[in-house]
Amino acid sequence: MKALTWHGTRDVRVDTVPDPAIEQPTDAIIRVTSSGICGSDLHLYEVLGPFLDAGDVLGHEPMGVVEEVGSDVTHIKPGDRVVIPFNISCGHCFMCDHGLQSQCETTQVHDYGTGASLLGYTKLYGQVPGGQAEYLRVPQAHYGPIKVPHGPSDDRFFYLADVLPTAWQAVEYAIGSQVSNDGRVTSLLVLGLGPIGEMCTRIAQQRGIEHVMAIDLVPERLERARAHGVQAIDLEEHDDVPAVVREQTGGRGPDAVIDAVGMEAHGSPVGKVAHQLVGLLPDAAAQKVMETAGTDRLAALSSAFELVRRGGTVSISGVYGGAASPMNLLQIFDKQVQIRQGQANVKRWIDDILPLVSDDADPLGTESFATHHIALDDAPDAYEKFQKKEDGTFKVVINP
């Protein structure tokens, strides 16, 4: 089959690789019909090469049609249409029972001390072949796959693999732990209007938050958010963004801030140099640097702590990779900021989200969310354009 594979920093290719096969009774094989390119895939393209091998198959946002199932898989069958969560979880361990599927004890990667295995996402998370391919082996398929109806377009449902639950959790974490007299969040600021940040603004509005703001510097993204009522602030138009935000929030700052940017934040030149230097090291040395040193670009996260009101919440959905990243703990403590973060626990939120994507009114706008639909052969070019923010590239869907 054809698959999108990693070969080095900024070097991904479409190769012919062996077809997947059932390896465990809990496996399934799907024919992939849609697979997204995610912002966190760009971390593999740019930063996390030390934890990849040439030929690794990328992609963690797949959906498709079931071709074959193992003997222990009973809730899906050949011909069913399914979305595959990006985290691989068993559904019956302590962590899964507590709604922490991203920490599944069955699939944790003990060699690196990390959480549940992920599709297509480095040795840190199990080095499981991903879904930017014609076919995919789905581990733990007795639990993971989300069955969806035939009929509506893939775009209605495939965001259930990652974008929707990641954004839903980010908003839930932002509004679910407020300390105030009535416990209500009335103002929310989203840093970064990539696919996750944009979806966060839509979910926040759907959840009834009165004042939703966002900060970015890409004109097309700012206009997209403004089109549905978000107060979108252009980072490059203001010398003192915190003053602008406070002016709009009674002088205090928003009740909650979501960092939907992560370690690719604009405005961190030291972090950029660190990323580039790590990319030049041999893999063993580079792994050690990333495991023990701070290589993150922390502009977005530092801004979140600066912008949020005292006693507010910072919810982190953007990916960070450094193990010794400096933070202003004095400011965080003094302001009594609450912090919630982590990989999305996909299956935990599906019952909340599925009615919204099943609604023909499409309240979250999933059917028009992607800007590009491409063939698998065009994926390397799409990675480059997505990284450079060229050609209006916002969300790319591969249709193998």
Side-chain angles (χ1 to χ4, degrees):
M1 69 171 183
K2 290 182 178 180
L4 193 283
T5 60
W6 184 91
H7 285 272
T9 302
R10 304 186 199 94
D11 182 5
V12 295
R13 309 172 193 173
V14 176
D15 290 337
T16 299
V17 302
D19 289 354
I22 298 289
E23 298 177 10
Q24 302 293 332
T26 53
D27 286 348
I29 305 296
I30 70 163
R31 174 175 55 83
V32 178
T33 56
S34 291
S35 189
I37 300 177
C38 178
S40 55
D41 287 326
L42 296 183
H43 302 324
L44 312 184
Y45 190 67
E46 185 78 28
V47 180
L48 293 175
F51 297 97
L52 288 157
D53 290 330
D56 281 357
V57 180
L58 306 184
H60 58 271
E61 298 183 348
M63 74 170 290
V65 177
V66 178
E67 293 280 306
E68 185 181 0
V69 298
S71 58
D72 289 351
V73 178
T74 58
H75 80 295
I76 57 172
K77 64 184 185 304
D80 284 345
R81 191 184 192 197
V82 292
V83 179
I84 309 302
F86 75 93
N87 39 41
I88 301 168
S89 49
C90 71
H92 56 72
C93 68
F94 176 90
M95 292 295 175
C96 289
D97 285 345
H98 285 77
L100 294 168
Q101 289 88 346
S102 67
Q103 310 302 320
C104 174
E105 291 174 324
T106 300
T107 72
Q108 283 176 12
V109 184
H110 298 291
D111 287 349
Y112 289 95
T114 51
S117 296
L118 309 179
L119 291 174
Y121 215 79
T122 79
K123 297 172 188 174
L124 289 170
Y125 292 101
Q127 207 169 24
V128 181
Q132 290 169 3
E134 293 179 315
Y135 293 90
L136 173 70
R137 181 181 72 88
V138 182
Q140 305 295 324
H142 63 287
Y143 173 69
I146 303 157
K147 188 175 177 180
V148 297
H150 290 276
S153 69
D154 277 10
D155 282 23
R156 178 84 71 84
F157 299 113
F158 105 97
Y159 298 105
L160 291 169
D162 181 357
V163 172
L164 279 167
T166 295
W168 190 278
Q169 179 171 295
V171 174
E172 180 65 27
Y173 281 5
I175 70 177
S177 58
Q178 284 293 315
V179 178
S180 62
N181 290 336
D182 59 8
R184 268 192 335 121
V185 169
T186 59
S187 58
L188 173 72
L189 172 66
V190 178
L191 301 180
L193 283 168
I196 299 298
E198 168 64 22
M199 189 59 76
C200 284
T201 66
R202 298 181 184 204
I203 290 170
Q205 290 173 319
Q206 196 276 333
R207 299 285 300 271
I209 296 176
E210 298 168 10
H211 187 189
V212 179
M213 297 175 287
I215 295 174
D216 205 292
L217 44 71
V218 180
E220 295 90 346
R221 296 181 177 190
L222 292 163
E223 288 307 313
R224 175 186 278 246
R226 288 170 183 150
H228 59 92
V230 174
Q231 183 183 357
I233 299 168
D234 188 338
L235 184 64
E236 296 191 325
E237 287 185 358
H238 303 281
D239 293 328
D240 189 349
V241 171
V244 174
V245 171
R246 291 188 187 109
E247 183 181 350
Q248 300 297 319
T249 53
R252 299 185 184 89
D255 295 326
V257 176
I258 294 173
D259 174 3
V261 178
M263 61 184 172
E264 291 297 321
H266 177 81
S268 300
V270 175
K272 181 176 182 178
V273 171
H275 282 177
Q276 292 171 340
L277 291 176
V278 167
L280 297 175
L281 295 172
D283 281 357
Q287 287 183 17
K288 193 65 176 175
V289 168
M290 294 195 71
E291 290 169 359
T292 60
T295 62
D296 291 334
R297 307 182 197 181
L298 293 174
L301 187 56
S302 297
S303 297
F305 296 134
E306 171 68 23
L307 292 165
V308 72
R309 71 161 169 82
R310 292 179 178 274
T313 299
V314 170
S315 172
I316 306 169
S317 65
V319 175
Y320 286 93
S325 302
M327 292 192 295
N328 187 346
L329 291 177
L330 173 62
Q331 179 188 51
I332 295 166
F333 181 84
D334 176 68
K335 292 182 69 173
Q336 202 167 336
V337 175
Q338 302 170 84
I339 304 171
R340 300 214 53 192
Q341 61 184 312
Q343 301 278 10
N345 303 297
V346 175
K347 293 288 295 246
R348 176 174 181 172
W349 310 113
I350 293 304
D351 288 346
D352 295 310
I353 304 169
L354 197 54
L356 296 174
V357 296
S358 299
D359 185 345
D360 287 338
D362 192 19
L364 296 178
T366 57
E367 289 197 292
S368 59
F369 196 69
T371 54
H372 294 71
H373 291 79
I374 63 168
L376 183 57
D377 286 338
D378 296 325
D381 182 58
Y383 263 79
E384 182 176 359
K385 288 180 177 177
F386 191 20
Q387 174 74 4
K388 296 178 178 178
K389 298 181 174 66
E390 294 177 346
D391 192 29
T393 303
F394 172 77
K395 184 63 181 179
V396 180
V397 182
I398 301 169
N399 302 119

